[in-house]
Amino acid sequence: METEIKLFISYLHNTKRMSGNTVVSYERDLKKMMLYFQEVHQMTRVQDITETSLNSYMLYLEKNHFAASTVSRSVASMRAFFQYLYQEHLIENNPADHLHPPKVEKKMPEILSVEEVDLLLRQPSDRTPKGLRDRAMLELLYATGIRVSELIHLEMSDVNLAMGYINCRDTDSERVIPFGSQAKKALQQYMHTVRDGFLKGQESEVLFTNCSGKPMSRQGFWKVLKHYAQTAGIEKDITPHTLRHSFAAHLIQNGADLKSVQEMLGHSDISTTQMYLNMNVYKIRDVYTKAHPRK
């Protein structure tokens, strides 16, 4: 079974060109499945796994109180894995054909109000190199709605200050996203006055670095965000994705069309972007209920 998992992971890397994080998730899910079958059922061959076997594994996950979202992700991994094995004629029948994930209740993401975003973005000091860097990161994240992984992988050549846009690349596509005057001002101050000080003579194309001149990490940015949320007194559970959600929700609340927001966010399916429109509907309904005299 281990050999087939390695073949599948290689296929995701080299043929499907999936992102590193996605491939790691698939591999982790499948190794957990393999361990279950080896230890509980003494199964070592993928050819011995049946639909009943997979259902027993799902039942095991649920009995051990794994979250519905975790079980759903495991189902997606197993379906993709066994479909690959079937296409490659490594198994005669696909045992995952009728495997269905549990229903996952979709929670509305936490978003900040415009006032909370403004308060957060005013926290970094404009008198220290670190403060100027942090403000540039936060301003750009909120101005463009890019993912944190995209933010920390931006290079100097991806930023067009004169025209006010960035080139954001992932494994499948490239998108051009505009940014406004506040983000432009913050980027100019960071790029022209303090970035070289972080590099200390080193050569690097990475836009945002840590204090040692190395590329900023996700964990490093997480600490930056948590620190400023605390100093701002914001009690909401802020994650690096919160500014992305807030960016999209605020655009739609102010009349932006779904298609444009979809393109800026890089969503492949507009139904994902639809969530932010639904959030706006709920907000309007709440305002109506509280304010209309004949509610």
Side-chain angles (χ1 to χ4, degrees):
M1 199 179 305
E2 189 170 0
T3 301
E4 287 83 2
I5 290 175
K6 286 181 179 177
L7 286 172
F8 177 62
I9 296 304
S10 176
Y11 164 75
L12 296 182
H13 264 304
N14 303 323
T15 304
K16 298 292 285 183
R17 302 285 183 185
M18 283 191 172
S19 70
N21 288 341
T22 303
V23 174
V24 167
S25 294
Y26 273 107
E27 188 171 16
R28 183 172 55 242
D29 290 340
L30 293 172
K31 283 185 175 178
K32 186 163 62 179
M33 176 199 74
M34 178 181 72
L35 195 63
Y36 166 81
F37 284 123
Q38 287 175 346
E39 293 185 352
V40 178
H41 295 285
Q42 287 73 54
M43 287 182 181
T44 57
R45 297 179 349 118
V46 290
Q47 292 81 1
D48 295 332
I49 295 175
T50 65
E51 184 176 337
T52 302
S53 307
L54 293 180
N55 282 323
S56 75
Y57 177 57
M58 285 184 63
L59 190 61
Y60 159 80
L61 293 176
E62 290 169 3
K63 279 187 174 179
N64 282 272
H65 308 294
F66 284 92
S69 56
T70 302
V71 179
S72 292
R73 196 192 63 218
S74 294
V75 169
S77 300
M78 290 187 291
R79 284 179 65 90
F81 175 57
F82 286 104
Q83 180 62 29
Y84 164 77
L85 296 181
Y86 183 68
Q87 287 175 347
E88 295 297 311
H89 306 292
L90 296 172
I91 54 176
E92 290 184 8
N93 299 295
N94 183 351
D97 248 350
H98 303 294
L99 204 60
H100 296 293
K103 286 186 177 179
V104 180
E105 182 183 348
K106 284 191 176 181
K107 293 181 180 178
M108 287 296 176
E110 188 83 88
I111 67 164
L112 301 177
S113 67
V114 174
E115 292 75 21
E116 286 171 328
V117 170
D118 183 60
L119 182 60
L120 177 69
L121 298 184
R122 283 193 277 112
Q123 296 310 305
S125 169
D126 58 2
R127 297 182 180 181
T128 67
K130 185 177 180 298
L132 290 172
R133 181 206 62 189
D134 295 349
R135 176 167 291 178
M137 286 194 298
L138 293 172
E139 286 281 6
L140 187 61
L141 201 63
Y142 178 62
T144 60
I146 58 175
R147 302 172 181 89
V148 174
S149 57
E150 295 169 333
L151 176 79
I152 62 176
H153 285 105
L154 284 175
E155 297 186 351
M156 291 288 284
S157 58
D158 293 324
V159 182
N160 189 318
L161 278 175
M163 300 298 292
Y165 69 81
I166 58 169
N167 279 320
C168 188
R169 301 180 183 88
D170 59 32
T171 52
D172 299 318
S173 62
E174 178 177 337
R175 62 193 196 277
V176 174
I177 311 170
F179 55 78
S181 59
Q182 293 298 316
K184 182 177 181 177
K185 179 182 176 183
L187 280 168
Q188 281 176 324
Q189 289 181 312
Y190 164 69
M191 293 168 70
H192 295 161
T193 65
V194 302
R195 181 175 175 273
D196 286 347
F198 287 123
L199 291 176
K200 299 178 178 67
Q202 303 173 72
E203 294 289 330
S204 176
E205 281 301 309
V206 175
L207 177 60
F208 294 113
T209 75
N210 61 23
C211 295
S212 302
K214 304 299 181 187
M216 175 67 66
S217 67
R218 289 177 63 90
Q219 293 82 359
F221 180 80
W222 176 276
K223 289 177 182 177
V224 167
L225 181 62
K226 285 289 185 183
H227 168 70
Y228 291 123
Q230 272 188 331
T231 58
I234 298 172
E235 296 182 357
K236 291 178 179 175
D237 184 21
I238 295 179
T239 72
H241 229 53
T242 303
L243 284 177
R244 177 172 165 85
H245 291 316
S246 302
F247 160 85
H250 295 167
L251 279 180
I252 289 174
Q253 284 171 12
N254 285 290
D257 65 279
L258 273 182
K259 185 65 178 173
S260 298
V261 176
Q262 178 195 5
E263 290 178 7
M264 285 185 276
L265 291 174
H267 286 161
S268 56
D269 189 341
I270 200 167
S271 64
T272 307
T273 320
Q274 183 84 30
M275 166 182 66
Y276 300 106
L277 181 60
N278 294 339
M279 289 173 68
N280 194 35
V281 169
Y282 296 145
K283 180 183 177 184
I284 292 169
R285 184 179 297 159
D286 185 50
V287 170
Y288 178 91
T289 302
K290 289 177 180 177
H292 198 281
R294 294 179 70 84
K295 57 183 177 291

